[in-house]
Amino acid sequence: MATKTLDDLFYETLKDIYYAERQILKALPKMARAAQDEKLKAAFQDHKDETEGQIERLKQVFELIGKRARGKTCDAIEGIISEGEEIMEEFKDTPALDAGLLAAAQAVEHYEISRYGTLCSWAQQLGLKDAVKLLEETLAEESKTDEKLTGLAKTAVNSAAQKAA
Ligand SMILES: [Fe+2]
Ligand SMILES: [Fe+2]
C-alpha cells in the first residue's frame, strides 16, 4: 500500500471544499430568491459574491501546491443542500420558510468553517504560509456570515416564523 501523508490529506480535503463551494455557489441564488425577508435575501446574495472570491482563492491554493484545481464529490454538502431544498418545497409560502432557510444556510457555514479550520491548521503544519493566509481569509468570511445569520435569526426571522400567516 502506498504511503499517504498529510500532503495527501490536504489535497483531498482541498478537492472536497472546492466541490462544495461550487455547489454552494449554485444553491445561494435559489435561496436568495426563496427568502422572504429582505435582509436574509441580501445576506444570501452578498455571500454568493463572496463565494466567487473563495473559489478563486482555492484555485490559488491548488496552484501553490502545484496541482490542478479539481473537485471531488462531497456527500456531506450534497446532503446539507438537499435538506435545504426540501425545506424550500415543504415550507413554501409559509411564515416558517425563512427560519428553515436560515438554518439550512447555517448548516452550510458550519460545514465550511469545519473544513477551512482543518485546512488552515494542516497548511500551517505543512509550512504553506501563503496558503494559510488565503484559507484564513475565507474562514473569516464564513464565520462572519454565520454570525450575521445568527443575528438575523434573533432579530427578525425566528419571531416572524412563529406568527401565523
Ligand atoms: Fe464558502
Ligand atoms: Fe459560506
Side-chain angles (χ1 to χ4, degrees):
M1 205 170 71
T3 308
K4 288 193 173 177
T5 64
L6 193 61
D7 298 87
D8 302 293
L9 262 179
F10 183 76
Y11 179 46
E12 289 307 309
T13 308
L14 207 57
K15 290 194 283 186
D16 172 289
I17 195 67
Y18 185 66
Y19 177 90
E21 289 288 14
R22 287 188 304 166
Q23 295 304 112
I24 294 164
L25 186 64
K26 282 193 252 171
L28 280 167
K30 291 183 206 163
M31 293 168 79
R33 268 197 302 276
Q36 294 153 339
D37 182 276
E38 286 306 317
K39 282 186 186 158
L40 184 61
K41 224 182 233 303
F44 289 155
Q45 263 150 5
D46 291 348
H47 199 48
K48 185 211 162 241
D49 296 339
E50 272 177 346
T51 299
E52 282 171 4
Q54 295 174 352
I55 290 172
E56 285 312 307
R57 276 187 211 119
L58 286 175
K59 286 183 185 164
Q60 291 178 47
V61 177
F62 277 110
E63 231 181 271
L64 285 169
I65 58 166
K67 304 262 192 202
R68 196 168 61 88
R70 65 188 190 101
K72 182 180 80 175
T73 307
C74 165
D75 293 331
I77 204 69
E78 301 243 313
I80 293 171
I81 289 174
S82 69
E83 276 185 13
E85 283 168 354
E86 217 174 279
I87 287 168
M88 274 190 245
E89 271 172 44
E90 287 174 11
F91 287 86
K92 197 172 186 257
D93 300 323
T94 76
L97 175 67
D98 279 2
L101 279 175
L102 193 152
Q106 281 197 293
V108 170
E109 293 317 307
H110 293 175
Y111 180 74
E112 293 183 293
I113 288 167
S114 153
R115 282 301 185 227
Y116 282 109
T118 296
L119 283 167
C120 279
S121 45
W122 286 348
Q124 219 140 27
Q125 180 67 36
L126 293 167
L128 301 165
K129 281 202 184 112
D130 293 338
V132 172
K133 256 175 78 187
L134 290 162
L135 295 164
E136 275 178 349
E137 258 178 81
T138 296
L139 179 58
E141 284 176 358
E142 309 294 19
S143 301
K144 230 181 94 195
T145 301
D146 183 45
E147 282 161 27
K148 196 200 262 183
L149 290 171
T150 298
L152 286 177
K154 282 186 185 157
T155 54
V157 173
N158 286 351
S159 60
Q162 211 181 2
K163 290 177 196 130

